[in-house]
């Protein structure tokens, strides 16, 4: 199975990069499943129903979220009727939406997609390790699922790495999101799980985490109230990770970093071309 995971979409540049590139990539790379983190898609803060539909129509099979899940209040309502949009599974009981979903690919394979959020330097939610464990126990790789993708939305690389090792051999891919800077540690862990500490963002990298540079820089210099953060408006780069799994086990055989667009050195699975 060929899987593509794309990091946090930030504002219009990220949405445009996905809309322009993803349909061609699905065909060119013969992708079976595409998952995208969309928690910053609406101007950098949350997601709306129309934007979620736009991402799905561009070729995503599922959209994950994070600490900005409900910045757009309409998400509290429409997330309940959109099974392909998931928020972290370790939100407290009673939170609208779901923390996992099963996608059926065009070839009939079942892909479990799980979203959890770390607790270091973020809101102290329920235990993400216990939440991930529950979801994988309910839908185990090789039995109920042909592939398992876990989006670990977290600040600390240590917490992400710990999740990768905790789920090694039980997931096809554990990938970190949230910090918007792609890391270079993509690899297949000893028991067959592909891992990357952070997928980066889909957005304008001539920015501060996808936001226009001036206000974030001013805040660091002056530490005083100022104007609201605005998403950058330059051309967007597509960032994420590509994984090829073994059909018999669902575990990863190969993993590649994906970076397509300006400002960063480009990288992609050339073996798929």
């Amino acid at each position: 199975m060929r899987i593509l995971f794309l990091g946090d979409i930030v504002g219009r540049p990220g949405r445009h990069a996905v809309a322009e590139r993803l349909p061609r990539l699905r065909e060119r790379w013969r992708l079976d499943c595409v998952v995208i983190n969309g928690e910053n898609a609406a101007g950098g803060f949350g997601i709306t129903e129309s934007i979620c539909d736009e991402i799905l129509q561009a070729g995503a099979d599922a959209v994950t979220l994070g600490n900005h899940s409900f910045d757009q209040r309409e998400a509290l309502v429409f997330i309940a009727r959109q099974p392909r949009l998931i928020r972290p599974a370790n939100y407290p009981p009673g939170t609208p939406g779901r923390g996992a979903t099963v996608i059926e690919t065009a070839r009939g394979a079942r892909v479990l997609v799980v979203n959890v959020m770390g607790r270091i330097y973020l809101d102290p939610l329920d235990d993400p390790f216990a939440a991930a464990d529950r979801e994988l126990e309910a839908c185990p790789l090789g039995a109920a699922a042909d592939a398992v993708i876990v989006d670990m939305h977290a600040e600390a690389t240590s917490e992400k790495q710990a999740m990768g090792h905790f789920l090694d051999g039980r997931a096809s891919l554990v990938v970190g999101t949230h910090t918007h800077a792609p890391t270079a540690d993509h690899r297949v862990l000893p028991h067959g799980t592909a891992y990357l500490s952070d997928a980066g963002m889909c957005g304008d990298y001539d920015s501060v985490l996808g936001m226009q540079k001036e206000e974030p820089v001013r805040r660091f210099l002056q530490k005083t109230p100022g104007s609201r953060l605005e998403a950058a408006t330059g051309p967007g780069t597509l960032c994420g990770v590509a994984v090829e799994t073994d059909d018999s086990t669902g575990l990863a055989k190969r993993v590649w970093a994906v970076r397509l667009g300006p400002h960063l050195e480009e990288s992609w699975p050339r073996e798929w071309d």
Side-chain angles (χ1 to χ4, degrees):
M1 192 180 302
R2 292 183 175 187
I3 295 168
L4 177 66
F5 183 97
L6 296 178
D8 310 40
I9 295 176
V10 183
R12 192 178 302 273
R15 302 200 309 268
H16 282 178
V18 169
E20 290 173 5
R21 289 181 178 268
L22 182 55
R24 293 196 297 270
L25 291 179
R26 281 209 75 132
E27 181 178 359
R28 171 179 155 192
W29 292 346
R30 301 184 299 279
L31 295 169
D32 295 291
C33 182
V34 177
V35 178
I36 307 179
N37 186 289
E39 71 136 12
N40 302 118
F45 300 96
I47 190 169
T48 65
E49 186 167 19
S50 62
I51 289 175
C52 181
D53 290 343
E54 175 187 324
I55 297 169
L56 294 171
Q57 290 166 9
D61 295 294
V63 179
T64 56
L65 296 171
N67 57 304
H68 292 292
S69 294
F70 301 109
D71 282 8
Q72 304 295 322
R73 292 185 63 84
E74 67 180 86
L76 290 164
V77 177
F78 84 83
I79 195 172
R81 61 174 179 263
Q82 178 47 268
R84 295 197 286 166
L85 176 67
I86 61 173
R87 44 78 175 161
N90 55 323
Y91 267 107
T95 303
R98 62 201 58 77
T101 191
V102 175
I103 300 300
E104 184 172 340
T105 72
R107 295 194 299 162
R110 301 155 300 171
V111 181
L112 172 67
V113 183
V114 180
N115 191 189
V116 291
M117 193 165 95
R119 296 188 290 185
I120 299 176
Y121 309 127
L122 286 171
D123 291 339
L125 300 182
D126 296 340
D127 180 2
F129 293 86
D133 189 55
R134 284 194 300 269
E135 297 295 347
L136 270 64
E137 284 285 344
C139 188
L141 180 64
D146 300 297
V148 173
I149 301 168
V150 179
D151 175 353
M152 175 61 167
H153 195 80
E155 189 81 42
T157 52
S158 59
E159 196 174 17
K160 296 177 185 181
Q161 290 175 357
M163 182 64 76
H165 290 295
F166 177 65
L167 298 180
D168 187 17
R170 301 173 61 195
S172 311
L173 169 66
V174 174
V175 56
T177 57
H178 177 66
T179 61
H180 295 196
T183 57
D185 60 339
H186 55 285
R187 62 196 188 278
V188 177
L189 297 175
H191 299 292
T193 294
Y195 174 81
L196 177 67
S197 288
D198 202 282
M201 69 174 179
C202 296
D204 178 8
Y205 276 84
D206 185 21
S207 65
V208 175
L209 302 183
M211 311 307 284
Q212 294 180 20
K213 296 174 282 189
E214 292 75 17
E215 177 59 18
V217 171
R218 188 207 62 77
R219 291 186 185 188
F220 282 111
L221 294 175
Q222 298 180 7
K223 295 294 183 182
T224 56
S227 58
R228 70 186 299 272
L229 297 174
E230 300 282 350
T233 58
T237 295
L238 211 67
C239 271
V241 60
V243 178
E244 187 170 313
T245 67
D246 182 273
D247 285 341
S248 62
T249 65
L251 295 171
K253 296 194 298 184
R254 300 284 303 278
V255 59
W256 300 265
V258 175
R259 297 185 300 273
L260 297 171
H263 307 303
L264 301 179
E265 181 181 359
E266 290 198 322
S267 174
W268 67 91
R270 298 176 190 273
E271 292 88 341
W272 289 358
D273 282 335

